[in-house]
Amino acid sequence: MTEREGTGTATVVGAGIAGLATAIGLRRAGWAVTVLERRTEPERYGAAFGIHPTAQSALDRLGVGGALRAHAVPYRDAHIRTPDGRTLARLPLERIERKAGRPELLISRPYLLDALLAALDAFGDVPVKLGETVSDVAALAATQDLVVGADGIRSAVRTARFGARSGPRPVSTVAWIGIADFESPVHGETWGRGRFFGLTPVEPGRTNWYATVPVRGAGGSTGPAASSAAAEEELRAAFADWHDPIPRILDATDPATWIRYEMRHLHPALPSFVSADGRTAPVALVGDAAHAMTPNLGQGACTAILDADALTRAVAAAPPGPAALAAALRAYDRERRRSAQRTAFASRTLHRFMSTERTWLRDAAVRLLPG
């Protein structure tokens, strides 16, 4: 490992939101950073990320807030509805805005990835190496001062350092996402029996949508993938008699862009997000590698951004030396692990609540929520 005045060398494994944001933070702190990504090109599929005000502040600290706001739209006036269109409750977006002084924002995934990649490119010395599969984490750690596992729910870095006890667990639900070339007059979520459908703004003239249905037969794919004609017809049939504009939204989306995947979460929860045994370079996990969750709270991107911000703040504040770096990583773990795992648990609990077959009890409870 190298010894440099106040800085070091780091490899970030994974070029998603968590990995790119972490690489930006480390480079801003003076570290020499390399990003390795197993895919041969950045993921370009659609869908919108909800960015909570706390995550917006983190992106501001990373120097990416301006680029976020250039392409994001505010999320306001959204409701929870029944399949026939009756309103059960309002989503608490106004309370979030009053408390934070800024609204929840929605941004298309490609726009956010482009903003992060542009921020890295501006440094001029942070290579993002595509098509690089990491198979020997120990060998990688022997050449670095820090390895960051940002390689998703099937993280090779996590398995190498923490074993295979924690891993992807299915929740018996297939999710679909897409962006329609149609601007919906209503936003929010519609909850039915064992399934739901969500509509959010994403940019003028277009609508982001997501839907879930129970797994049938052998289940869905293990990750985002193109859909089949039979699966598309099954989805249309599942929501054919739901309120307007849900059927029209599906009709206004090119089926070739629909994404289908089986929802999974990381279980059981990890005992730590860091490993620093002193024998080799320490490892820190961020994003889905650390706490992959169901998407029901819409917090996946936010928690990844908050991880990156917290990790790089802790590292930047540490004095030189392996002991100080290990202490900084423990500080990161204290700041983020319980918070992220509480969010993951809450999202999984909400998934059960939303997907229940006992809709009368669920709907009665939702009607009691403050307006």
Side-chain angles (χ1 to χ4, degrees):
M1 292 188 291
T2 62
E3 292 187 12
R4 300 204 290 174
E5 185 63 24
T7 60
T9 60
T11 292
V12 178
V13 183
I17 302 301
L20 295 176
T22 302
I24 291 168
L26 289 172
R27 182 62 189 85
R28 285 168 65 91
W31 282 58
V33 184
T34 299
V35 180
L36 304 180
E37 168 57 50
R38 64 176 178 82
R39 295 179 178 86
T40 56
E41 58 184 29
E43 286 186 322
R44 306 303 302 170
Y45 67 85
F49 285 140
I51 308 298
H52 190 275
T54 55
Q56 295 171 38
S57 296
L59 288 173
D60 286 336
R61 288 189 290 272
L62 292 171
V64 191
L68 165 75
R69 285 181 283 275
H71 290 285
V73 296
Y75 191 24
R76 298 185 173 106
D77 193 27
H79 297 75
I80 300 172
R81 296 178 172 86
T82 60
D84 61 7
R86 289 179 292 118
T87 295
L88 293 173
R90 296 186 66 167
L91 294 178
L93 300 171
E94 290 183 359
R95 292 201 301 274
I96 291 173
E97 184 170 356
R98 285 197 304 269
K99 182 177 180 180
R102 62 169 89 178
E104 181 102 2
L105 294 178
L106 290 160
I107 186 169
S108 175
R109 176 190 177 94
Y111 286 147
L112 183 54
L113 283 170
D114 286 347
L116 294 169
L117 284 166
L120 273 184
D121 188 60
F123 290 114
D125 59 0
V126 181
V128 178
K129 299 182 178 181
L130 302 176
E132 294 281 346
T133 299
V134 174
S135 57
D136 191 339
V137 175
L140 177 63
T143 68
Q144 300 293 295
D145 296 305
L146 174 65
V147 174
V148 178
D151 48 343
I153 191 170
R154 297 184 179 279
S155 170
V157 177
R158 182 188 66 238
T159 301
R161 276 299 178 93
F162 296 91
R165 180 172 179 266
S166 295
R169 300 292 186 270
V171 295
S172 300
T173 301
V174 170
W176 297 75
I177 56 177
I179 295 182
D181 293 323
F182 168 81
E183 193 162 337
S184 173
V186 299
H187 299 124
E189 294 184 340
T190 300
W191 296 2
R193 188 179 300 276
R195 64 199 65 201
F196 57 87
F197 200 101
L199 300 165
T200 76
V202 63
E203 57 186 300
R206 308 186 80 196
T207 299
N208 175 74
W209 62 266
Y210 51 94
T212 70
V213 295
V215 168
R216 303 296 186 193
S221 59
T222 58
S227 57
S228 68
E232 291 161 12
E233 288 308 310
E234 182 180 348
L235 182 68
R236 292 183 191 276
F239 298 100
D241 60 349
W242 284 34
H243 69 79
D244 186 72
I246 289 174
R248 285 196 290 151
I249 286 288
L250 293 176
D251 288 340
T253 309
D254 179 0
T257 66
W258 293 14
I259 297 295
R260 178 182 187 267
Y261 65 97
E262 186 174 348
M263 286 170 51
R264 285 170 160 78
H265 67 129
L266 185 67
H267 183 81
L270 288 168
S272 177
F273 287 177
V274 301
S275 171
D277 58 16
R279 295 190 299 271
T280 185
V283 164
L285 302 177
V286 294
D288 284 354
H291 48 66
M293 63 189 71
T294 65
N296 302 83
L297 282 176
Q299 291 292 304
C302 290
T303 52
I305 292 165
L306 293 173
D307 290 349
D309 175 55
L311 174 61
T312 57
R313 278 190 288 103
V315 170
L325 177 58
L329 297 183
R330 290 192 294 270
Y332 157 68
D333 184 66
R334 287 193 300 271
E335 178 176 343
R336 289 299 305 147
R337 179 163 48 88
R338 289 186 179 180
S339 174
Q341 289 175 346
R342 281 196 299 267
T343 300
F345 177 78
S347 191
R348 178 72 182 95
T349 301
L350 181 60
H351 174 75
R352 294 192 185 99
F353 182 70
M354 293 169 65
S355 302
T356 183
E357 297 285 335
R358 299 178 180 179
T359 58
W360 64 272
L361 182 60
R362 179 200 64 196
D363 293 353
V366 171
R367 288 190 183 97
L368 298 176
L369 295 174

PDB file of all heavy atoms in Angstrom, residues 324-338:
ATOM      1  N   ALA A 324      -5.898   5.635  11.477  1.00  0.00           N
ATOM      2  CA  ALA A 324      -6.878   6.716  11.346  1.00  0.00           C
ATOM      3  C   ALA A 324      -7.928   6.374  10.298  1.00  0.00           C
ATOM      4  O   ALA A 324      -9.114   6.679  10.467  1.00  0.00           O
ATOM      5  CB  ALA A 324      -6.172   8.021  10.983  1.00  0.00           C
ATOM      6  N   LEU A 325      -7.498   5.728   9.212  1.00  0.00           N
ATOM      7  CA  LEU A 325      -8.455   5.331   8.184  1.00  0.00           C
ATOM      8  C   LEU A 325      -9.432   4.300   8.733  1.00  0.00           C
ATOM      9  O   LEU A 325     -10.643   4.390   8.495  1.00  0.00           O
ATOM     10  CB  LEU A 325      -7.717   4.765   6.974  1.00  0.00           C
ATOM     11  CG  LEU A 325      -8.606   4.234   5.834  1.00  0.00           C
ATOM     12  CD1 LEU A 325      -9.534   5.321   5.305  1.00  0.00           C
ATOM     13  CD2 LEU A 325      -7.743   3.662   4.713  1.00  0.00           C
ATOM     14  N   ALA A 326      -8.932   3.333   9.496  1.00  0.00           N
ATOM     15  CA  ALA A 326      -9.812   2.329  10.100  1.00  0.00           C
ATOM     16  C   ALA A 326     -10.820   2.986  11.031  1.00  0.00           C
ATOM     17  O   ALA A 326     -12.004   2.620  11.059  1.00  0.00           O
ATOM     18  CB  ALA A 326      -8.983   1.284  10.844  1.00  0.00           C
ATOM     19  N   ALA A 327     -10.383   3.978  11.795  1.00  0.00           N
ATOM     20  CA  ALA A 327     -11.288   4.693  12.686  1.00  0.00           C
ATOM     21  C   ALA A 327     -12.342   5.465  11.894  1.00  0.00           C
ATOM     22  O   ALA A 327     -13.513   5.532  12.279  1.00  0.00           O
ATOM     23  CB  ALA A 327     -10.498   5.646  13.581  1.00  0.00           C
ATOM     24  N   ALA A 328     -11.925   6.048  10.760  1.00  0.00           N
ATOM     25  CA  ALA A 328     -12.870   6.773   9.920  1.00  0.00           C
ATOM     26  C   ALA A 328     -13.933   5.835   9.353  1.00  0.00           C
ATOM     27  O   ALA A 328     -15.116   6.194   9.283  1.00  0.00           O
ATOM     28  CB  ALA A 328     -12.120   7.473   8.786  1.00  0.00           C
ATOM     29  N   LEU A 329     -13.527   4.639   8.974  1.00  0.00           N
ATOM     30  CA  LEU A 329     -14.493   3.682   8.441  1.00  0.00           C
ATOM     31  C   LEU A 329     -15.472   3.231   9.519  1.00  0.00           C
ATOM     32  O   LEU A 329     -16.658   3.042   9.250  1.00  0.00           O
ATOM     33  CB  LEU A 329     -13.768   2.480   7.842  1.00  0.00           C
ATOM     34  CG  LEU A 329     -12.867   2.779   6.642  1.00  0.00           C
ATOM     35  CD1 LEU A 329     -12.262   1.484   6.109  1.00  0.00           C
ATOM     36  CD2 LEU A 329     -13.627   3.503   5.546  1.00  0.00           C
ATOM     37  N   ARG A 330     -14.988   3.086  10.739  1.00  0.00           N
ATOM     38  CA  ARG A 330     -15.912   2.741  11.832  1.00  0.00           C
ATOM     39  C   ARG A 330     -16.890   3.875  12.084  1.00  0.00           C
ATOM     40  O   ARG A 330     -18.072   3.638  12.395  1.00  0.00           O
ATOM     41  CB  ARG A 330     -15.118   2.408  13.097  1.00  0.00           C
ATOM     42  CG  ARG A 330     -14.344   1.086  13.018  1.00  0.00           C
ATOM     43  CD  ARG A 330     -13.826   0.654  14.383  1.00  0.00           C
ATOM     44  NE  ARG A 330     -12.811   1.570  14.897  1.00  0.00           N
ATOM     45  CZ  ARG A 330     -11.506   1.447  14.667  1.00  0.00           C
ATOM     46  NH1 ARG A 330     -11.058   0.458  13.890  1.00  0.00           N
ATOM     47  NH2 ARG A 330     -10.643   2.307  15.193  1.00  0.00           N
ATOM     48  N   ALA A 331     -16.430   5.114  11.936  1.00  0.00           N
ATOM     49  CA  ALA A 331     -17.333   6.264  12.090  1.00  0.00           C
ATOM     50  C   ALA A 331     -18.404   6.246  11.000  1.00  0.00           C
ATOM     51  O   ALA A 331     -19.580   6.537  11.259  1.00  0.00           O
ATOM     52  CB  ALA A 331     -16.540   7.560  12.047  1.00  0.00           C
ATOM     53  N   TYR A 332     -18.004   5.913   9.784  1.00  0.00           N
ATOM     54  CA  TYR A 332     -18.975   5.782   8.693  1.00  0.00           C
ATOM     55  C   TYR A 332     -20.007   4.709   9.027  1.00  0.00           C
ATOM     56  O   TYR A 332     -21.223   4.911   8.858  1.00  0.00           O
ATOM     57  CB  TYR A 332     -18.249   5.430   7.389  1.00  0.00           C
ATOM     58  CG  TYR A 332     -19.127   4.755   6.360  1.00  0.00           C
ATOM     59  CD1 TYR A 332     -20.161   5.443   5.742  1.00  0.00           C
ATOM     60  CD2 TYR A 332     -18.919   3.404   6.023  1.00  0.00           C
ATOM     61  CE1 TYR A 332     -20.983   4.809   4.812  1.00  0.00           C
ATOM     62  CE2 TYR A 332     -19.720   2.775   5.080  1.00  0.00           C
ATOM     63  CZ  TYR A 332     -20.757   3.475   4.484  1.00  0.00           C
ATOM     64  OH  TYR A 332     -21.564   2.848   3.560  1.00  0.00           O
ATOM     65  N   ASP A 333     -19.547   3.563   9.511  1.00  0.00           N
ATOM     66  CA  ASP A 333     -20.452   2.477   9.861  1.00  0.00           C
ATOM     67  C   ASP A 333     -21.446   2.911  10.935  1.00  0.00           C
ATOM     68  O   ASP A 333     -22.638   2.606  10.851  1.00  0.00           O
ATOM     69  CB  ASP A 333     -19.641   1.271  10.331  1.00  0.00           C
ATOM     70  CG  ASP A 333     -20.516   0.062  10.610  1.00  0.00           C
ATOM     71  OD1 ASP A 333     -21.108  -0.467   9.657  1.00  0.00           O
ATOM     72  OD2 ASP A 333     -20.607  -0.339  11.786  1.00  0.00           O
ATOM     73  N   ARG A 334     -20.980   3.643  11.935  1.00  0.00           N
ATOM     74  CA  ARG A 334     -21.871   4.114  12.997  1.00  0.00           C
ATOM     75  C   ARG A 334     -22.913   5.082  12.451  1.00  0.00           C
ATOM     76  O   ARG A 334     -24.076   5.057  12.876  1.00  0.00           O
ATOM     77  CB  ARG A 334     -21.070   4.794  14.114  1.00  0.00           C
ATOM     78  CG  ARG A 334     -20.276   3.838  14.995  1.00  0.00           C
ATOM     79  CD  ARG A 334     -19.780   4.544  16.254  1.00  0.00           C
ATOM     80  NE  ARG A 334     -18.908   5.675  15.929  1.00  0.00           N
ATOM     81  CZ  ARG A 334     -17.594   5.588  15.766  1.00  0.00           C
ATOM     82  NH1 ARG A 334     -16.995   4.405  15.858  1.00  0.00           N
ATOM     83  NH2 ARG A 334     -16.867   6.661  15.507  1.00  0.00           N
ATOM     84  N   GLU A 335     -22.492   5.924  11.518  1.00  0.00           N
ATOM     85  CA  GLU A 335     -23.435   6.914  10.984  1.00  0.00           C
ATOM     86  C   GLU A 335     -24.491   6.291  10.088  1.00  0.00           C
ATOM     87  O   GLU A 335     -25.659   6.692  10.121  1.00  0.00           O
ATOM     88  CB  GLU A 335     -22.682   7.998  10.207  1.00  0.00           C
ATOM     89  CG  GLU A 335     -23.614   9.035   9.569  1.00  0.00           C
ATOM     90  CD  GLU A 335     -22.894  10.163   8.882  1.00  0.00           C
ATOM     91  OE1 GLU A 335     -21.673  10.366   9.135  1.00  0.00           O
ATOM     92  OE2 GLU A 335     -23.530  10.867   8.072  1.00  0.00           O
ATOM     93  N   ARG A 336     -24.110   5.303   9.289  1.00  0.00           N
ATOM     94  CA  ARG A 336     -25.001   4.858   8.235  1.00  0.00           C
ATOM     95  C   ARG A 336     -25.692   3.510   8.459  1.00  0.00           C
ATOM     96  O   ARG A 336     -26.823   3.315   7.982  1.00  0.00           O
ATOM     97  CB  ARG A 336     -24.221   4.772   6.909  1.00  0.00           C
ATOM     98  CG  ARG A 336     -23.846   6.110   6.341  1.00  0.00           C
ATOM     99  CD  ARG A 336     -25.067   6.967   6.017  1.00  0.00           C
ATOM    100  NE  ARG A 336     -25.970   6.266   5.125  1.00  0.00           N
ATOM    101  CZ  ARG A 336     -27.291   6.413   5.157  1.00  0.00           C
ATOM    102  NH1 ARG A 336     -27.863   7.217   6.040  1.00  0.00           N
ATOM    103  NH2 ARG A 336     -28.047   5.734   4.314  1.00  0.00           N
ATOM    104  N   ARG A 337     -25.058   2.585   9.165  1.00  0.00           N
ATOM    105  CA  ARG A 337     -25.596   1.219   9.127  1.00  0.00           C
ATOM    106  C   ARG A 337     -26.998   1.114   9.723  1.00  0.00           C
ATOM    107  O   ARG A 337     -27.925   0.617   9.070  1.00  0.00           O
ATOM    108  CB  ARG A 337     -24.643   0.237   9.817  1.00  0.00           C
ATOM    109  CG  ARG A 337     -25.169  -1.204   9.834  1.00  0.00           C
ATOM    110  CD  ARG A 337     -24.072  -2.204  10.123  1.00  0.00           C
ATOM    111  NE  ARG A 337     -23.274  -1.816  11.266  1.00  0.00           N
ATOM    112  CZ  ARG A 337     -23.543  -2.126  12.532  1.00  0.00           C
ATOM    113  NH1 ARG A 337     -24.619  -2.834  12.818  1.00  0.00           N
ATOM    114  NH2 ARG A 337     -22.752  -1.740  13.515  1.00  0.00           N
ATOM    115  N   ARG A 338     -27.161   1.584  10.943  1.00  0.00           N
ATOM    116  CA  ARG A 338     -28.484   1.431  11.555  1.00  0.00           C
ATOM    117  C   ARG A 338     -29.548   2.222  10.802  1.00  0.00           C
ATOM    118  O   ARG A 338     -30.675   1.755  10.617  1.00  0.00           O
ATOM    119  CB  ARG A 338     -28.426   1.853  13.020  1.00  0.00           C
ATOM    120  CG  ARG A 338     -27.649   0.876  13.896  1.00  0.00           C
ATOM    121  CD  ARG A 338     -27.721   1.236  15.349  1.00  0.00           C
ATOM    122  NE  ARG A 338     -26.984   0.285  16.177  1.00  0.00           N
ATOM    123  CZ  ARG A 338     -26.874   0.362  17.493  1.00  0.00           C
ATOM    124  NH1 ARG A 338     -27.442   1.379  18.143  1.00  0.00           N
ATOM    125  NH2 ARG A 338     -26.192  -0.553  18.161  1.00  0.00           N
TER     126      ARG A 338
END
